[in-house]
Amino acid sequence: MHRLLVVDDDIDIRSLLAEQLGRAGYQVSTAGAGAEMRRVLEREHIDLIVLDLNLPREDGLTLCRDLRARSSTPVIMLTARSEPIDRVLGLEMGADDYLAKPFEPRELLARIRNVLRRTEALPANLEPLSIRRARFSDWTFDLEHRHLVDPDGRVVVLSGAEFRLLRVFVAHANKVLSREQLVSLSSGRNYEAQDRAIDLQVSRLRQKLGEAGSLVKTVRNEGYVFATAVGLE
């Protein structure tokens, strides 16, 4: 049985979702803020987090970014705002899906099922590795502190999407990855052939890597490969 965590400062919404998701067969824990969410994560194994964007003190974007620095637990973000930029920011920070309030609980249930199905369908040989640090071509990629350091010791700032993409590349160095696999591994979402967002993310990552950007090679009709020796810690 999957265990879900609902994080929302509205006690009525928490109670409603806990009841309805419980009836759907899930075990549900709840939290009203970031500190409480962390306590739940420390004591329980959680398969998916339903996270409200507008939380007191620490908002959902900040919490999602911090979660992604140390965990691949799927996140569905809820928000009362429906502006496209909010959705983009949520996905950039690592959310797997996004739902605007007010919403139909059955739609949330369908999205939970889809995200869990995509996550669990990941090929065994492509499951994310537990990595704290990676070194390649005199670069250091510190996944614990989200730092990418160039050969001269300068910190290169990465967006959430660039961080997750580089994490995939270093974990599967010298292995050709299709666009579909890159999207699944970095975001958990389905790849659509007409969506070239992953190509744009690869291009931006190459720019951040400077001369080392040539290590990310295009394999015609197949995808991309991070062609270098990588030391993992």
Side-chain angles (χ1 to χ4, degrees):
M1 182 180 294
H2 290 105
R3 179 175 286 277
L4 312 179
L5 172 59
V6 175
V7 185
D8 198 302
D9 62 332
D10 188 321
I11 189 171
D12 292 331
I13 291 179
R14 292 202 307 270
S15 300
L16 175 65
L17 291 181
E19 178 185 353
Q20 296 192 345
L21 294 174
R23 285 205 302 264
Y26 295 104
Q27 293 181 334
V28 184
S29 298
T30 63
E36 189 178 356
M37 178 194 79
R38 293 188 182 94
R39 287 195 292 271
V40 173
L41 292 173
E42 286 175 359
R43 68 174 185 260
E44 300 176 13
H45 171 77
I46 298 297
D47 297 296
L48 182 143
I49 301 170
V50 178
L51 178 62
D52 185 37
L53 175 65
N54 300 306
L55 292 171
R57 292 179 291 278
E58 296 176 284
D59 64 23
L61 291 176
T62 300
L63 293 174
C64 189
R65 181 192 61 202
D66 292 346
L67 278 168
R68 276 296 165 265
R70 62 179 188 274
S71 169
S72 59
T73 303
V75 174
I76 296 179
M77 190 163 284
L78 303 179
T79 178
R81 303 201 297 257
S82 59
E83 292 294 326
I85 187 61
D86 293 322
R87 181 175 183 273
V88 170
L89 284 173
L91 296 175
E92 279 287 307
M93 290 299 178
D96 296 273
D97 208 344
Y98 187 99
L99 192 58
K101 297 178 180 177
F103 57 86
E104 168 60 49
R106 286 178 297 182
E107 181 179 0
L108 175 60
L109 180 59
R111 289 173 182 260
I112 288 171
R113 287 170 174 162
N114 286 339
V115 170
L116 287 172
R117 183 163 55 245
R118 291 200 304 264
T119 303
E120 294 172 352
L122 204 61
N125 66 323
L126 292 180
E127 289 178 355
L129 303 178
S130 177
I131 304 169
R132 293 183 298 112
R133 194 172 291 106
R135 303 183 191 279
F136 58 90
S137 299
D138 296 325
W139 288 70
T140 300
F141 185 34
D142 188 330
L143 285 83
E144 285 187 307
H145 301 99
R146 299 180 68 91
H147 284 169
L148 175 63
V149 182
D150 73 10
D152 296 322
R154 293 175 301 216
V155 174
V156 177
V157 178
L158 299 176
S159 70
E162 292 162 354
F163 172 84
R164 295 191 302 275
L165 182 59
L166 183 56
R167 180 172 58 186
V168 171
F169 277 133
V170 300
H172 306 289
N174 299 301
K175 182 181 298 182
V176 177
L177 300 172
S178 68
R179 290 176 174 83
E180 181 178 8
Q181 289 171 329
L182 285 172
V183 171
S184 294
L185 288 164
S186 62
S187 69
R189 298 194 301 276
N190 288 331
Y191 172 73
E192 298 178 2
Q194 70 273 18
D195 182 2
R196 311 305 288 185
I198 191 65
D199 295 319
L200 179 59
Q201 290 172 14
V202 169
S203 176
R204 288 174 175 169
L205 180 60
R206 282 170 168 160
Q207 292 176 10
K208 293 289 180 72
L209 290 171
E211 292 183 3
S214 61
L215 299 174
V216 183
K217 300 185 182 298
T218 302
V219 181
R220 188 172 181 179
N221 298 324
E222 292 190 52
Y224 296 97
V225 59
F226 193 56
T228 186
V230 176
L232 301 178
E233 301 175 10

